[in-house]
Amino acid sequence: AESKRINTHTTVFKMAAISCISGVALPARISARRSGIQGKAVRMPRAVRGSVSVRAMKTVAESKTFDDDWLKADVTVHLLTLFGWTVPSGIAIKSYGDTSLLAAFSASIGENLANFPQGPGLEDKFWLYLLTWHIGLFSTMLLGQIGWQGRKQGYFK
């Protein structure tokens, strides 16, 4: 009786593995269904049939309501926005000690590379420059993409 119980559990685990791997739940009448993995009929033992309930899953094809290419990324936009942020961030301002954000960020990178195995400390100005420069870059890229696609699609007429 012990070996029969182990066999029953092994069969149930095989059926669960087959249903998970194939991505389809097993229907209620398993004995008539062939598994796609081994090409053998999968049969549920009589002792287990009453205690295991298996539902067939039904996949319903959804209509396409959302454009898969929602970003509509354009190389021109990326280059123009990179240029459009690099030029203004290169203008010297007093809050960075009469230097530009780009120059301060580049100098900070150079100073930290001089101490290469050791990274910048938490209170290093590098982190402020890094965050400020990248927030500005990504904001410019986002607004540039919105403007480019809006103009292209006629939203501003």
Side-chain angles (χ1 to χ4, degrees):
E2 184 67 31
S3 65
K4 188 167 186 148
R5 193 176 84 189
I6 292 172
N7 242 353
T8 302
H9 291 298
T10 304
T11 305
V12 170
F13 287 130
K14 280 184 184 177
M15 289 185 310
I18 289 170
S19 69
C20 289
I21 292 171
S22 67
V24 181
L26 296 172
R29 299 195 54 100
I30 296 173
S31 61
R33 180 99 170 168
R34 295 181 58 86
S35 71
I37 296 174
Q38 296 178 353
K40 297 178 183 176
V42 179
R43 300 183 194 280
M44 186 180 290
R46 290 184 193 272
V48 179
R49 282 186 195 170
S51 64
V52 176
S53 63
V54 182
R55 290 186 241 153
M57 294 179 73
K58 183 178 178 183
T59 303
V60 178
E62 295 179 14
S63 63
K64 189 174 181 181
T65 58
F66 186 74
D67 186 14
D68 290 338
D69 187 26
W70 60 271
L71 183 58
K72 296 182 183 7
D74 195 348
V75 176
T76 309
V77 177
H78 294 309
L79 292 175
L80 288 174
T81 55
L82 176 64
F83 182 71
W85 174 243
T86 305
V87 171
S89 70
I91 298 172
I93 55 174
K94 290 218 184 250
S95 64
Y96 289 118
D98 287 329
T99 187
S100 67
L101 172 61
L102 184 60
F105 183 39
S106 299
S108 176
I109 291 171
E111 291 168 7
N112 284 307
L113 282 176
N115 305 325
F116 169 62
Q118 183 180 2
L122 289 177
E123 294 186 15
D124 193 351
K125 288 275 191 179
F126 167 78
W127 299 113
L128 174 67
Y129 299 146
L130 176 94
L131 286 174
T132 306
W133 197 85
H134 281 89
I135 288 172
L137 174 68
F138 296 140
S139 299
T140 306
M141 291 178 86
L142 174 69
L143 295 172
Q145 183 72 12
I146 291 170
W148 185 273
Q149 291 301 324
R151 184 177 178 116
K152 193 176 180 182
Q153 296 173 15
Y155 284 116
F156 303 126
K157 287 185 179 183

